Each structure stands twice: as structure tokens, then as C-alpha cells.
Amino acid sequence: MEYSNFTYLFLLLIAIAYPLAKSFENRIRFYTKLKYIIPAIIITAIPFLIWDIIFENHHIWSFSADHTIGINMLGLPLEEWLFFLIIPYACFFIYETVIYFAGRVTFRYIRQTTLFLAFFLFLAGLLTVHLSYTFVSFILASIILFIIANKKHIAVHLSNFFKGYLVSLIPFFIINGVLTKLPVVLYNNEENLSLRIYSIPVEDAVYLLSLLFINFSLYEIFKQYDRKRQAQAQNANR
């Protein structure tokens, strides 16, 4: 096995190293949120892995054997399975850090902006129905944004969702830039717009939005449910 076979795994370790090391930091107390974060990550990973497996089987994207360790499950390298655990974990750390330092900063007309973005992505998806990756990523993101914007108990977190997402784009573009430049991940350009940010398909940014917004939504739902449960237990004990 060559050193290059550890490329994808090494990039994932870089992505998780700092968030993992700072998980027990006293200000953010990230470790106290893991009981909500871990279920959110696992639940979200299931449909995305199914999507991944289907697209890999249909050669919409594939993975280089030269940059993975060679352990495959259902057609996906082990590193790709780890991706859906490690990247959301790192982005949750960013999300909580952003809330800690800029939680009071809100975007005006955030719901209206979200609905406009949902409509734009839906329309763009309809116009690119012949491009599998573009169509699925755009339509899925539009549905997710529309649902969140119309659920009041989730929509109140939209500003934080977007802040967490926008900051997460920075490390995402760095890591994904390496993955797509080598390339570790290979895309069939007949199934996407062939528009790149450096070497990254623009669809990847939309893909990340869907991945994170589902994670963030489940996380906030689990927290709200736990608060209600605790309140009910306190009332019962009075």
C-alpha cells in the first residue's frame, strides 16, 4: 500500500483534529451537546449514504483507488462512510462556535430570503432535470429550505443555520478542493453543470447545505424535545 492510499483518510483526520481536541473546552462545552449531535449525524447520514451508493453505482461520481485504503462497503470506500460522520461533527463544532461568538447577530428578512433561495433552487433544478447531480442536489436543497422556513420552531434558528453553513464553507472548500483536484473524488461532468469553484463542482456547495441543514434541524429538534421533557418532569415532581 502506497502513502497516497491514505490521502482521503488523512484529509478527514485533519478535518476532525481541531474540533475533537476542543470538544471539552470550557466555554463552548461542546461535549455536553453530543447527546443531540450524534443522533442527528447518524440519522442524516442514512439517506445521504443511500444517495451516494446509487450515484456511485450509476457512475455519476466515483472514488480513486489510488487515494483510498481499499476497504469498500456497498461500493463506497470506508473513508466515504466516515465522511458523513466526521464532516458534520466538525461543522457542528463550527455551528456552536458561531453561536457562542455571534449568536445575537441575526439576518433581516431571513425567512423571506430562505424562501426565495428555495424557489430559485427549485426552478434551477427543473431546468437541469437532465443533469442527475444538479437536479437532485438543487431540488433536495429547495425542499429542505422550504420546509424549515415554514416550521416556526425550526425557522427561528435560520440565522444560525446560515452562519454555521457559511463559515463551514471555508474548511469545506479547502478539504474538498484537495479531494477534487488530485482527484480523490471523480465526477461525471455529463451529470453536472461543469461549473467549478477552483476544482469543486458548484453542486457540492448545495449538497453541503442540504447535509448541514438537516443535521442542524434535527439537532435543534432534539434539544427542544429534551427541554420539554425536562420541564414536564420538573412539573410532575412539584
Side-chain angles (χ1 to χ4, degrees), residues 31-126:
Y31 67 94
T32 64
K33 287 98 173 178
L34 292 179
K35 61 182 178 179
Y36 313 120
I37 290 172
I38 299 303
I41 290 175
I42 293 173
I43 292 171
T44 305
I46 294 171
F48 277 86
L49 281 166
I50 294 172
W51 176 4
D52 213 342
I53 291 166
I54 293 172
F55 270 33
E56 201 280 335
N57 286 338
H58 286 81
H59 309 292
I60 295 168
W61 56 52
S62 58
F63 303 90
S64 170
D66 294 331
H67 298 291
T68 54
I69 60 176
I71 300 174
N72 295 297
M73 295 183 290
L74 299 178
L76 300 181
L78 173 63
E79 295 91 334
E80 185 71 357
W81 290 77
L82 294 175
F83 173 93
F84 293 103
L85 304 178
I86 289 174
I87 297 303
Y89 185 95
C91 292
F92 266 121
F93 181 81
I94 292 172
Y95 177 72
E96 284 297 322
T97 302
V98 167
I99 291 176
Y100 182 83
F101 288 104
R104 295 182 181 180
V105 178
T106 58
F107 301 130
R108 294 187 65 184
Y109 308 114
I110 186 63
R111 182 176 179 274
Q112 294 88 336
T113 302
T114 302
L115 288 171
F116 174 80
L117 181 58
F119 175 76
F120 173 80
L121 289 171
F122 185 77
L123 181 60
L126 292 180

Side-chain angles (χ1 to χ4, degrees), residues 21 36 46-47 117-118 124 142-143 154 181 189 192 206 209 219 221 238:
Y36 313 120
I46 294 171
L117 181 58
S142 70
I143 293 171
I154 306 176
K181 182 64 177 178
N189 286 331
N192 61 58
V206 182
L209 185 149
Y219 170 65
I221 289 170
R238 288 178 182 174

Side-chain angles (χ1 to χ4, degrees), residues 19-27 29-31 34 89 93:
L20 201 57
K22 287 292 185 177
S23 291
F24 297 92
E25 192 265 344
N26 287 327
R27 287 180 298 175
R29 293 171 57 83
F30 189 69
Y31 67 94
L34 292 179
Y89 185 95
F93 181 81

Side-chain angles (χ1 to χ4, degrees), residues 139-158:
I139 293 297
L140 176 63
S142 70
I143 293 171
I144 291 167
L145 290 175
F146 182 79
I147 292 173
I148 292 174
N150 285 284
K151 295 290 185 180
K152 291 183 179 180
H153 62 292
I154 306 176
V156 294
H157 302 288
L158 271 171

Side-chain angles (χ1 to χ4, degrees), residues 48 51 61 83 87 91 117 121 133-134 136-138 140-142 144-145 161-162 164-170 172-173 176-177 180 187 192-193 195-213:
F48 277 86
W51 176 4
W61 56 52
F83 173 93
I87 297 303
C91 292
L117 181 58
L121 289 171
Y133 185 23
T134 310
V136 174
S137 59
F138 282 17
L140 176 63
S142 70
I144 291 167
L145 290 175
F161 286 4
F162 275 105
Y165 165 71
L166 291 172
V167 176
S168 294
L169 281 174
I170 299 171
F172 178 77
F173 279 137
N176 208 30
T180 53
Y187 293 88
N192 61 58
L193 290 169
L195 296 176
R196 304 286 173 126
I197 303 170
Y198 181 53
S199 58
I200 304 167
V202 295
E203 289 87 350
D204 280 9
V206 182
Y207 182 97
L208 181 68
L209 185 149
S210 297
L211 179 67
L212 294 188
F213 272 49

